[in-house]
Amino acid sequence: MELTKQQIQHLFTFVRSKYIRYYDVQLELVDHLASAIEEEMSQESGLTFEQALNRVYSRFPITGFNEFLQEKTKALNKYWRRRFWSYMKQYFTPPKIILTLLFSFFFFYTSNVQFHFFGNEVNLLWVVFIAIALGGLFVVGKYFPINPNKSRLLSKIIFIQQLSYYILGPVYFIGYVWPQFLVNHVNINNMVFNFIMSFVCALTLIALSGAMTDFRVWMQEEIEERYKEFRVEF
Amino acid sequence: MVNSKLLRGNLETIVLKLLEDHMEMYGYEITQKVKDLTLNEIQLTEGALYPILHKLEGEGILTTRIANIGNRKRKYYKLTPEGNDRVTQKVDEFEVFVQSMHLILNPKLG
């Protein structure tokens, strides 16, 4: 026997009432519940839909669907991290490592160009760094949906989080954490600091270019293939 | 029914082998198939199956597609090329383990 449209809708409402707000997670749970209920009801003719639902739900762990959601979140974090890392890894091996080194040396060169800014001597590398940081904020901001209802795919939320770590993480480290740590111990214009900062700028630029090309395509493909109703223009 | 501790260490092997044999399956189908093949000796609970499926998907061992099946959508799981390699590895490991256990449990046969 097959459940009606209304019963399927009831299952979506049921799953939402158990704090599963993401459609991509709801979908799998609803299908599982529906398949199990259909089987229970075909095997026991007097069984109502509600009775079958209670029976099937009782087979889930005592925490309900929370564990399902937690495991799904962990798996999605791993999935997107793996994809982003596979993209970045290309730039640590030939031939693209040449590009990484070229960018790094170019940015390092800019650390030798000094200019005066409100009475302080600043090197051009900091300007480059701020430009890349602002670019990163702009690109990551573009992926956040204007309409909060559009963030109903867990996969997309995790994708945006991972993207933020790759683009804004290094920026945060170089722009805030490290200077805070070193400012009393090392001259902020010293060569080692400048080289590391150049390398981080190069990596962030590579991640940014990925965000504007490959990463966008990945998310568009994911939504196009599976969740057309959540199609969003990036 | 099989001891749950024995089962826990072999869940991945079970899921991978079934997907190798059946090309593409959905979650509930996997629980039912295991129950049918083992004559109810092994009952995969939802709490055990879905963490494994999601973990393997995250690792790139499984890929998924969503299909319309009339009144709802369904997620199917399928092995990737890396998944095919993992099945072979896990099945070989299990067979070595079983042979080793036989040698311990039946030393005369050794």
Side-chain angles (χ1 to χ4, degrees), chain A residues 3 28 31-32 72 226, chain B residues 28 50 64 71-72 75 77:
Chain A
L3 296 184
E28 196 166 11
D31 180 48
H32 184 97
K72 182 76 186 168
R226 296 157 187 245
Chain B
Y28 185 71
Y50 284 104
T64 60
N71 60 3
R72 60 186 185 266
K75 188 175 183 180
Y77 292 88

Side-chain angles (χ1 to χ4, degrees), chain A:
Chain A
M1 66 143 302
E2 202 177 82
L3 296 184
T4 64
K5 243 181 165 172
Q6 288 76 21
Q7 287 170 327
I8 297 294
Q9 226 16 74
H10 180 84
L11 290 178
F12 271 102
T13 307
F14 176 78
V15 166
R16 267 198 298 276
S17 74
K18 304 292 178 188
Y19 309 108
I20 305 296
R21 62 175 282 252
Y22 298 109
Y23 177 73
D24 45 348
V25 185
Q26 290 168 357
L27 192 152
E28 196 166 11
L29 280 169
V30 164
D31 180 48
H32 184 97
L33 291 171
S35 303
I37 289 168
E38 281 167 354
E39 181 156 346
E40 292 287 333
M41 288 174 78
S42 0
Q43 285 175 357
E44 200 175 317
S45 54
L47 198 67
T48 66
F49 172 76
E50 284 296 337
Q51 286 170 332
L53 173 57
N54 288 335
R55 194 182 284 183
V56 169
Y57 183 60
S58 68
R59 291 189 214 138
F60 278 83
I62 199 154
T63 51
F65 299 138
N66 286 340
E67 207 178 306
F68 186 99
L69 180 61
Q70 277 170 20
E71 294 299 326
K72 182 76 186 168
T73 305
K74 254 197 284 188
L76 281 170
N77 269 304
K78 200 167 190 169
Y79 173 76
W80 285 118
R81 204 167 37 236
R82 196 169 46 82
R83 287 195 79 173
F84 288 141
W85 178 237
S86 74
Y87 175 86
M88 295 301 291
K89 221 166 53 169
Q90 297 172 85
Y91 291 90
F92 288 93
T93 53
K96 289 185 175 174
I97 192 169
I98 297 168
L99 208 59
T100 310
L101 293 171
L102 273 174
F103 277 134
S104 300
F105 284 121
F106 173 73
F107 291 141
F108 183 66
Y109 172 76
T110 63
S111 69
N112 294 317
V113 178
Q114 308 282 339
F115 62 94
H116 289 282
F117 184 72
F118 289 107
N120 296 309
E121 210 171 77
V122 180
N123 72 50
L124 189 58
L125 179 58
W126 276 103
V127 176
V128 167
F129 171 74
I130 288 165
I132 290 177
L134 289 174
L137 279 169
F138 174 75
V139 167
V140 171
K142 239 177 107 70
Y143 284 98
F144 282 100
I146 296 160
N147 181 350
N149 287 331
K150 287 187 181 168
S151 60
R152 278 194 56 207
L153 294 177
L154 182 62
S155 186
K156 187 174 175 201
I157 296 292
I158 302 292
F159 166 83
I160 292 168
Q161 280 175 359
Q162 289 292 328
L163 186 71
S164 306
Y165 298 152
Y166 272 84
I167 292 176
L168 300 179
V171 167
Y172 175 72
F173 179 76
I174 285 291
Y176 182 76
V177 175
W178 208 13
Q180 290 280 315
F181 180 71
L182 291 180
V183 75
N184 293 324
H185 305 282
V186 173
N187 179 351
I188 208 157
N189 282 323
N190 87 9
M191 206 167 71
V192 171
F193 179 86
N194 287 339
F195 186 74
I196 290 172
M197 193 164 144
S198 309
F199 185 65
V200 169
C201 283
L203 289 182
T204 308
L205 192 65
I206 287 164
L208 262 180
S209 76
M212 291 187 288
T213 53
D214 292 35
F215 304 169
R216 283 177 59 163
V217 170
W218 295 345
M219 186 35 66
Q220 280 170 335
E221 276 172 356
E222 166 107 350
I223 291 177
E224 194 60 43
E225 277 167 21
R226 296 157 187 245
Y227 314 110
K228 282 196 178 65
E229 54 270 49
F230 290 96
R231 193 184 286 129
V232 173
E233 294 298 325
F234 284 113

